[in-house]
Amino acid sequence: MSKIATLEIDGNKYEFPIIEGTEKELGIDIKTLRGVTGGVTTIDPGYKNTGSCVSGITFLDGEKGVLRYRGYSIEELAEKADFLEVAYLLIFGELPTAAELEKFDRDIKEESHVDEDMKKILDGFPKSAHPMGVLSSLTSALIAFNPGSVDVDSEEEMYNAIVKILAKFPVLAAWTMRKRKSLPLDYGDNSLGYVQNLHKMMFARPNKAYESNNLVYDALDKLLILHADHEQNCSTSTVRIVGSSHAGLFASLSAGMSALWGPLHGGANQAVIEMLEAIKEDGGDTAKYIAKAKDKNDPFRLMGFGHRVYKNFDPRAKIIKTSAEEILEDLGIEDPVLDIAKGLAKVALEDEYFIQRKLYPNVDFYSGIIYRALGIPTEMFTVMFALGRLPGWIAQWREMRLRKEPIGRPRQIYIGENIRPFVKVENR
Ligand code: ACO
C-alpha cells in the first residue's frame, strides 16, 4: 500500500504521497504543497533534507558507507573497470559491449582537437591564474567554437555533444597545467588510451622521450573512477540547475566547475595538502591542529574531514588510503605528509568531538597524496577531480533533460522591510 504523509497547519490537514526509491528510501512528494495550502513553502538551507529530483544514476547510503554507480559497487568498479567504461556506464546506463566501447573511444578520439584560436584565449590569462578558473573559462569559451545547440530529443546530437566534451576537456585541462609551467601546448596522441593520453598531454616534454608507466596510469584511472559521480552534490546540482534553464551542456559544465572549485567541495583536495604541509612546517604537531579544529573560536577546520552525507565512512576514502600506501611504496616515494595524514586521522577518529559529529576522512583526505606522488602540482588537484567528475556531470545533465525537468527555481521566505514610502535624497 502506498504511504501518505499528513501535514497539519492551523487545524487543516493536508496529505502528500510518499515516493519509495528502489533502495527503499522514502521522500515526501510536496509538489502540490503551495497549491493546496495557499502558498505555504518549506525552508531548508543547504538542502539538507530536500531531494531535488529522482535519479537512476548513483546510489549512496551515508550511514552504511555505500556508493554505487548504476547498481555497480564502487569497490568493484575501481578494481575491475577502466575510466572510459565507467563514463559510458554513468552516461548511458549500462556497461558498454566491446563494440560500443570501441566506438565510444574512436568517436572521442575523432573529436580530440581543440580550435587553435582557443590558444589565444588561454594566452590572455596570467601564468599565476588558478587552473580551475582557467578551465571553467575555457570550457565556456568552447561554446563559441561549437555554437550549435543540442536537440535533446535527438539521440545523435546528444551523443555527439557528449563525445565532444569528453574529448576536448582533457586537452584543456592539460593546457592549464602546461601554461603554468611554460610548456608548449600539444594535442596528445590518439594511439593511447584516454587516461594514458591525458597523462602524456600533461607531462610530455618537447625535448625528452615520454615514458609510459602502467602503475601511474592505473592509479590515475582509479582516482578518476572514484570521483566520477556522487549524486546531487554542490557541483552536480549546479550543472542540473543551470541546465534546467536549457543553457547548453558546456555552459552547465562550466558552472559546475566553478562550484567544484570551492574549498568546501572539490577544492578541499588542494586545501588538504596545503594544511598537511603547514602542519609539517610547524613541527608536525597533529594534536595542536586537532585542538584548533575543535575550537569554535578558531575558523580552522580539518580539511578532508566530514561529509554532508557520509556519517560512518566514505568508501572512496577507504580505497584511496590503501591506494596511496601502495603507490608510494611501488614508486619508492617516502612522503612525510602521508604519515602526518595518518597521524591526524588516527587522533581524530578516537576523539569525542569527531566521533559525536560523525566526522570521517572524505575522498579528498588522501587523494592529494597520490596526485603529489604522480608529480601533479597542488593547484591542479581540483582539475583532476573535475576530469573524474565530468562523466557524472554529463550523466546528470542528460538525465535531467531527458526527464524534461522544470526550470530549477527555489522559493524563499521574505524577511526584509514591509512596504514604505520612497524618501527623496535631500530628505534622507
Ligand atoms: N573540522 C572540524 N569540525 C568540523 C568539520 C571539520 N572538517 N566538518 C564539520 N565540522 C563540525 C562543524 O563545526 C559542526 O559542529 P557543531 O555541530 O558543533 O556546530 C558539525 O561538525 C557539522 O558540520 P556542518 O558544517 O554543519 O556539516 P555540513 O554537512 O554542512 O558540511 C562539509 C559538510 C562542508 C564537508 C564539512 O564537513 C567541511 O567543511 N569539511 C571540510 C572541507 C572538506 O573536506 N570538504 C570536502 C567534502 S567532500 C567533497 O566535496 C568532495
Side-chain angles (χ1 to χ4, degrees), residues 100-173:
E100 284 165 341
L101 186 59
E102 195 263 326
K103 177 178 179 336
F104 192 45
D105 185 38
R106 189 165 14 96
D107 293 339
I108 289 174
K109 282 177 174 154
E110 201 51 45
E111 286 289 347
S112 63
H113 53 275
V114 173
D115 194 296
E116 275 289 295
D117 280 346
M118 287 287 288
K119 290 183 177 171
K120 293 184 193 148
I121 300 174
L122 181 64
D123 216 31
F125 285 95
K127 271 211 177 67
S128 57
H130 194 284
M132 278 301 281
V134 178
L135 187 58
S136 158
S137 307
L138 290 181
T139 306
S140 207
L142 264 187
I143 304 163
F145 295 89
N146 301 269
S149 64
V150 180
D151 172 3
V152 296
D153 292 322
S154 155
E155 280 271 337
E156 195 190 344
E157 281 194 29
M158 185 80 108
Y159 179 83
N160 290 344
I162 289 168
V163 157
K164 238 180 212 169
I165 193 66
L166 281 170
K168 296 181 197 311
F169 192 69
V171 179
L172 299 179

Side-chain angles (χ1 to χ4, degrees), residues 33 46 57 78-79 98-99 172 179 198 207 216 316 324 362 387 424:
L33 177 68
I57 301 171
E79 196 193 321
L172 299 179
K179 156 104 186 176
L198 167 68
N207 49 357
V216 169
R316 302 166 301 172
N362 59 48
L387 280 156
K424 286 191 161 181

